[in-house]
Structure formats: C-alpha cells, structure tokens
Amino acid sequence: MPAENTGTVEVRRDDAVAVVALRRERKRNALSTHMESELLQALRSPEVASSRAVVVTGGDSVFSAGADVTELREMTPHAIAEYYRGSGSVYEVFASLPQPTVAAITGYCIGGGLELALAADIRVADPAAVFGFPEIGIGILPSSGGVTRMVRVAGAGRTRDLILRGRRFDASQAEQWGVVSEIAAPGEHIKHAIAIAREIAEYSPLAVRITKQVIDVSLDAPREAALLLEQLAYAVLNNAPEKD
C-alpha cells in the first residue's frame, strides 16, 4: 500500500503493520500543534484502522526533541483546556488504539517526544537514543501523560529523580529502568520494531485487543477486580467464534 503523507507525518503499510513516521526532521520532529493534528489524522487513517499493529518512528536520526513549547507559552488556561481537547489529545488517542503499538526510538526522545513514546505498548531504542523531561527548567511539567506513565513504568522514586532534576538518560539506563523493552543493533531500531509488530500481528486481533485492555485496566484496579477481569476476559475469548 502506498504511503500517505500529510506533510509532517507519513503513514505506510508494511503488510499488516502500519508505520507512522514523523517527518519534521529540520526541527528534530518538534511536536507543534499542527504536527499533532496531522498525527491525529494519521492515527485515524484507513491504513492504521485496518492494520493489526502500529509502529511510530521519527526516522533514522531522531524520534522527537519534544513539544514546540513556544506555541503554548502565551495560551490562557481556557486555550490550554481547548488544546487538550484538540490536537493535544493525540497522546491519549495513540495510547487507546486497539492495536498493539511499538515506538522505534533513536536520537532525542525528549519532553513531548518521550510522552508519545511512553504512550506506546512497547518501546525499542537505538543505542544512540537520549531520553529526558526538561520541562522543569522552563517552569512547567510533563502534562501529556508523562508523569502518569513514567510513574507506572519506572516507579515514583525514579520519576521524581528524573523529572524534578530534568535529567537526561541513555538507552542503557532506559532499558534498566523499564522505559524501553529492548535495545536494537545500531541503526536497526525501525526494522526491529516492525519485526516485533509483525510478530504480535500474527496472533488473534480479538485476543490481542482484549488482553491489551485488561493490562491497561489492571494497572489501577484492585487485585480482586483485576483477577475477575482476567477470568471474564478468558471466558469471552475461549468461546469466541472468531479467533482471527
């Protein structure tokens, strides 16, 4: 299937996998509101909707150097609330996709870029990847799921250390702290992420979708509720007429 290019975001199919690529390299894929809107459009495209798995990448040299904060600095509280209902919703739209998602990361994965990566189910890093939340240095905080997801991934203590100090960390540390699942060979992060997506795409879409939902809900559910949800989901899947 040919690629669909919306300007700063490109969508192409690799068999059952939709590959969504950020294409604002001259600005190190800084996530402007315009780019976020185009990413929303890409995530809602037929190429993504009909896929069995989704890979998000920034290309061969950078994932994303973060949100374009110059656009947001002058916004009123009302305008910021509208932003989160509009283009700023892209992080939650990505996180809530029914398909499994994989982020392929190299170079800068900073601020809003790291928030986008954290919204993926699985993250693969190139050895050259650099991570961090620099927001505290300009008097703000990660506000597109960064704090919420980093706490769940790395724990409260590590999150305090990284966010309150604005620390950067490398791929090895990211793997050690659970921020990424795997480190690919140099230059192979996209290929490796697609291979993972293809692997999951071979399984029953219904089983993958329900399992992903159970994992997400179990993060915050009481133990008894989480166990019951597992059992109910098993009963549904075990009797599903369609496994494909």
Side-chain angles (χ1 to χ4, degrees), residues 24-25 27-33 35 63-68:
R24 199 188 180 201
E25 292 92 342
K27 294 289 188 178
R28 296 188 295 186
N29 289 332
L31 292 158
S32 64
T33 54
M35 189 176 190
F63 185 74
S64 172
D68 196 339

Side-chain angles (χ1 to χ4, degrees), residues 206 210 231-241 243:
L206 179 62
I210 290 179
Q231 295 160 9
L232 293 174
Y234 177 86
V236 169
L237 291 173
N238 192 52
N239 290 282
K243 299 281 187 183

Side-chain angles (χ1 to χ4, degrees), residues 115-201:
E115 290 183 294
L116 180 63
L118 285 170
D121 298 314
I122 297 171
R123 289 166 292 281
V124 174
D126 181 88
V130 178
F131 304 84
F133 284 118
E135 287 86 349
I136 197 75
I138 56 173
I140 57 174
L141 80 163
S143 60
S144 294
V147 175
T148 302
R149 292 192 173 94
M150 184 60 85
V151 166
R152 284 159 174 75
V153 165
R158 182 69 63 188
T159 298
R160 290 189 186 99
D161 180 59
L162 294 175
I163 294 180
L164 292 178
R165 296 173 65 192
R167 286 184 56 195
R168 292 190 179 182
F169 53 101
D170 60 23
S172 178
Q173 291 169 310
E175 183 182 37
Q176 177 184 345
W177 298 333
V179 178
V180 301
S181 304
E182 298 180 36
I183 299 176
E188 298 291 311
H189 59 291
I190 300 175
K191 181 179 178 181
H192 194 69
I194 291 174
I196 291 173
R198 281 181 169 178
E199 175 189 338
I200 302 173

Side-chain angles (χ1 to χ4, degrees), residues 10-30:
E10 179 184 275
V11 186
R12 64 180 177 86
R13 283 292 290 273
D14 189 314
D15 296 326
V17 177
V19 180
V20 179
L22 309 180
R23 289 285 181 252
R24 199 188 180 201
E25 292 92 342
R26 288 188 301 173
K27 294 289 188 178
R28 296 188 295 186
N29 289 332

Side-chain angles (χ1 to χ4, degrees), residues 78-98:
H78 176 75
I80 290 174
E82 288 298 314
Y83 161 76
Y84 287 118
R85 285 192 285 269
S87 66
S89 68
V90 66
Y91 306 89
E92 296 310 308
V93 169
F94 179 47
S96 63
L97 286 178

